Amino acid sequence: MSNSMFDHKLSGPSLAFQPLYLQVADYIKQLIVERRWVPGEVLPSEFRLAEEFNVSQGTVRKALNLLTDDKIVTRRQGVGTFVSEHTAQDALFRFFPLQADGKGADLPKAELLSVELCPAPKDVIDALQLNKKDKVTKLVRRRILDNEFCMTETIYLPQSFFPDIHQSSDIPHTLYHYYQTKFNQTVHKTQDSIKAVLADETDAKLLAIKAGDPLLLVSRITESIEGKRIEYRLSKCRSDHYHYQIELD
């Protein structure tokens, strides 16, 4: 490769040992992070990208296939390759795995109970890799399926990534779509840890159950496309007639 913008980006010694298609994939990803192409926008053709990066179309195709597998781009047969976006419905079905027993995926509603800017608690500092003086916005919500309260959520967002979100009066229930369109924070990966707990008095009141009833506690760390931790979420889910379903690619 020579005389291309791509060459300049590959000057770092660590990239020299990567296969060329991985280098191309990393560069396309970086351009998406830098918003050369925004969510929902179509990328140039494989031929145009190959010409710009001074590589073969086969190399570009392998890079795009990798980015498709990572859900960074979406390929539509006969149409083109698009930067992935979290539409409201897609975000709910992909990242909301709680389902009522005997039923398929359904669209939940969310009731926002409180929102505040506060110092980050110790467990949040550790989960989000923050400094001790960093502040976070704390959102408390409860989810509704079939007109029944099924889950409570306590969500922590770093102030540095979500400035003034605590002052917003129109926070929607589809948060991942909101993060992307309002704050340019695209959710890429989530890591859930699940354990069984018993409902305390607050849980019982919010979910209309009894204290001591079994719940699932789901601790989620969410990463952006840049690999930064942008959300820590603690969800308490009813387990009497709900289940937590996960699909692995």
Side-chain angles (χ1 to χ4, degrees):
M1 294 184 304
S2 61
N3 300 323
S4 76
M5 179 172 57
F6 185 43
D7 285 332
H8 178 69
K9 294 290 185 179
L10 295 180
S11 58
S14 63
L15 290 177
F17 300 101
Q18 286 188 343
L20 186 56
Y21 79 94
L22 289 179
Q23 298 179 47
V24 173
D26 285 344
Y27 185 47
I28 293 174
K29 178 179 175 181
Q30 183 59 37
L31 291 176
I32 291 172
V33 168
E34 294 172 357
R35 294 185 69 79
R36 173 172 173 179
W37 304 297
V38 299
E41 183 177 350
V42 64
L43 271 62
S45 67
E46 290 180 2
F47 175 79
R48 290 286 302 276
L49 290 173
E51 185 178 47
E52 177 176 344
F53 300 154
N54 198 20
V55 298
S56 70
Q57 281 186 252
T59 297
V60 170
R61 186 174 299 115
K62 286 186 68 175
L64 293 177
N65 287 339
L66 178 63
L67 294 173
T68 301
D69 291 341
D70 285 343
K71 296 182 172 60
I72 293 173
V73 300
T74 302
R75 310 196 79 175
R76 301 177 191 170
Q77 187 67 32
V79 180
T81 302
F82 296 77
V83 180
S84 295
E85 61 178 336
H86 294 313
T87 64
Q89 183 163 316
D90 167 75
L92 281 172
F93 284 133
R94 182 179 170 193
F95 297 108
F96 185 81
L98 194 70
Q99 295 183 15
D101 293 344
K103 297 184 178 181
D106 197 6
L107 294 175
K109 297 179 182 178
E111 178 186 5
L112 182 62
L113 302 176
S114 66
V115 56
E116 63 174 327
L117 183 66
C118 61
K122 177 64 166 60
D123 61 327
V124 178
I125 290 174
D126 293 341
L128 294 177
Q129 300 176 335
L130 302 175
N131 296 318
K132 291 182 179 180
K133 294 184 179 180
D134 289 342
K135 291 188 175 182
V136 293
T137 293
K138 176 183 177 182
L139 295 87
V140 179
R141 312 192 304 173
R142 59 181 172 183
R143 294 279 197 160
I144 304 166
L145 275 177
D146 289 335
N147 297 315
E148 183 176 63
F149 299 125
C150 63
M151 175 193 293
T152 64
E153 295 175 321
T154 304
I155 300 165
Y156 297 93
L157 305 171
Q159 184 184 25
S160 57
F161 297 142
F162 300 93
D164 303 324
I165 191 174
H166 61 287
Q167 297 177 345
S168 300
S169 58
D170 58 346
I171 298 176
H173 66 276
T174 51
L175 286 181
Y176 290 172
H177 177 65
Y178 183 59
Y179 297 166
Q180 186 179 60
T181 56
K182 182 74 172 181
F183 298 96
N184 191 29
Q185 298 294 335
T186 296
V187 171
H188 180 46
K189 294 180 181 180
T190 59
Q191 176 183 309
D192 288 358
S193 299
I194 306 173
K195 66 181 295 184
V197 297
L198 299 178
D200 58 26
E201 294 292 342
T202 299
D203 300 327
K205 181 178 179 180
L206 291 177
L207 294 175
I209 58 177
K210 297 178 181 178
D213 280 356
L215 298 174
L216 293 177
L217 172 62
V218 183
S219 305
R220 171 176 291 183
I221 295 174
T222 299
E223 289 187 6
S224 68
I225 193 174
E226 297 97 324
K228 298 176 181 178
R229 297 187 177 189
I230 60 173
E231 181 199 77
Y232 181 52
R233 179 182 302 216
L234 298 171
S235 303
K236 289 187 176 181
C237 314
R238 288 177 57 169
S239 60
D240 48 355
H241 51 270
Y242 295 92
H243 61 275
Y244 199 86
Q245 178 165 307
I246 300 174
E247 294 184 7
L248 300 177
D249 295 331

